[in-house]
Amino acid sequence: MTYNDIHEGIFLSRPNRFIAEVEVYEQVHKCHVKNTGRCKELLVPGAKVYVNRSDKMERVTKFDLISVWKEERLINMDSQAPNKVFLEYLKSGQHLRGITFIKPEAKYGNSRFDFYVEAEGPQSPGKRKIFIEIKGVTLEIGGAAFFPDAPTERGVRHLKELTRLSHEGYEAHVVFVIKMKGITHFSPNNTTHPAFGAALTLAKEAGVKVIALDCNVMPNSLVIDNPVSVIL
């Protein structure tokens, strides 16, 4: 995926979770933060960031905060990006072969999942029916990627729902889109939310596929690149 009007800036402050003050071309602008997570390790005063100018004239904030440099690593912060880049990845055939149907925001019972996919079975005439949940990852510690960066009961619920689907005979995938490069491995953040790590382990034991993928991050683009090893 690409952004069409990127500008370099300097992060100054974050008055609330939706707004950041960023210096762009020696002027201070209020920018929309496209990530409601804490991101305290990323949004530090003086950090170099990239913002995308909005083409919606009626908006109060004229820029969206897209990515930030953490030392030598550029990290995409756009919380809407993981689903978009994963859809591109799906359509490319790199995640699954023989796809015949893709439905984003698929509802099953009282639950909603990021994608429902049908694909040709490895031995016809079987049809693979797959529910996929996507999680965007921005937390890096010591070269490893971790999720979540804050407690997420919603995330735990998603894992339990995927586990139930696996028991019902569906394929179920949870995909961690790591929005950076140079990562040694991915692990659940058991320090911040041990319940998420426990639910992820139970999901894998039930047959849910746990997948981590890193990304090539440029100021104006984000593309899924390679699988990353998962350590639970």
Side-chain angles (χ1 to χ4, degrees):
M1 64 169 290
T2 59
Y3 302 97
N4 57 15
D5 197 356
I6 288 291
H7 303 267
E8 185 178 306
I10 301 297
F11 174 79
L12 301 175
S13 66
R14 189 178 185 180
N16 59 58
R17 63 178 182 161
F18 301 106
I19 297 295
E21 293 184 330
V22 177
E23 182 182 316
V24 184
Y25 304 127
E26 300 184 344
Q27 292 187 351
V28 177
H29 294 269
K30 292 186 182 298
C31 302
H32 173 56
V33 180
K34 299 188 75 174
N35 189 318
T36 58
R38 294 174 181 176
C39 303
K40 290 184 178 180
E41 78 286 355
L42 298 178
L43 295 181
V44 297
K48 185 166 75 172
V49 299
Y50 292 101
V51 296
N52 189 56
R53 188 189 301 272
S54 172
D55 57 4
K56 297 179 181 178
M57 300 302 296
E58 69 276 10
R59 273 185 39 163
V60 175
T61 53
K62 300 303 180 186
F63 294 97
D64 294 315
L65 178 56
I66 297 300
S67 57
V68 56
W69 284 97
K70 183 184 180 187
E71 298 176 350
E72 301 302 315
R73 182 179 280 112
L74 183 60
I75 301 175
N76 181 285
M77 290 185 55
D78 182 354
S79 61
Q80 298 175 7
N83 283 34
K84 293 179 181 178
V85 295
F86 185 77
L87 180 57
E88 293 175 350
Y89 190 68
L90 261 183
K91 290 180 176 179
S92 73
Q94 295 180 78
H95 184 67
L96 294 166
R97 296 191 180 279
I99 292 175
T100 58
F101 179 75
I102 300 173
K103 179 175 176 57
E105 296 295 321
K107 192 173 182 181
Y108 181 80
N110 294 322
S111 303
R112 188 180 297 274
F113 299 91
D114 289 323
F115 296 98
Y116 170 72
V117 179
E118 293 181 356
E120 296 173 355
Q123 296 179 343
S124 295
K127 179 185 292 186
R128 300 171 67 185
K129 298 182 178 181
I130 309 152
F131 284 93
I132 304 173
E133 189 65 25
I134 308 299
K135 302 295 181 190
V137 181
T138 60
L139 178 61
E140 176 270 334
I141 303 173
F146 295 87
F147 183 92
D149 65 352
T152 171
E153 295 302 328
R154 182 171 179 265
V156 172
R157 186 178 73 252
H158 285 157
L159 293 176
K160 291 180 178 179
E161 291 167 343
L162 289 172
T163 300
R164 174 176 58 85
L165 283 168
S166 184
H167 286 311
E168 292 180 4
Y170 291 93
E171 280 190 50
H173 301 183
V174 56
V175 179
F176 295 91
V177 176
I178 303 168
K179 296 186 287 178
M180 64 192 92
K181 284 294 291 183
I183 292 301
T184 59
H185 67 274
F186 167 82
S187 290
N189 190 354
N190 292 318
T191 300
T192 295
H193 198 181
F196 183 87
L200 187 60
T201 297
L202 290 174
K204 184 176 181 181
E205 291 173 351
V208 177
K209 293 185 178 181
V210 180
I211 299 158
L213 303 165
D214 70 9
C215 291
N216 283 323
V217 185
M218 300 294 288
N220 68 337
S221 66
L222 183 72
V223 180
I224 288 177
D225 193 20
N226 293 317
V228 172
S229 61
V230 176
I231 300 177
L232 299 182

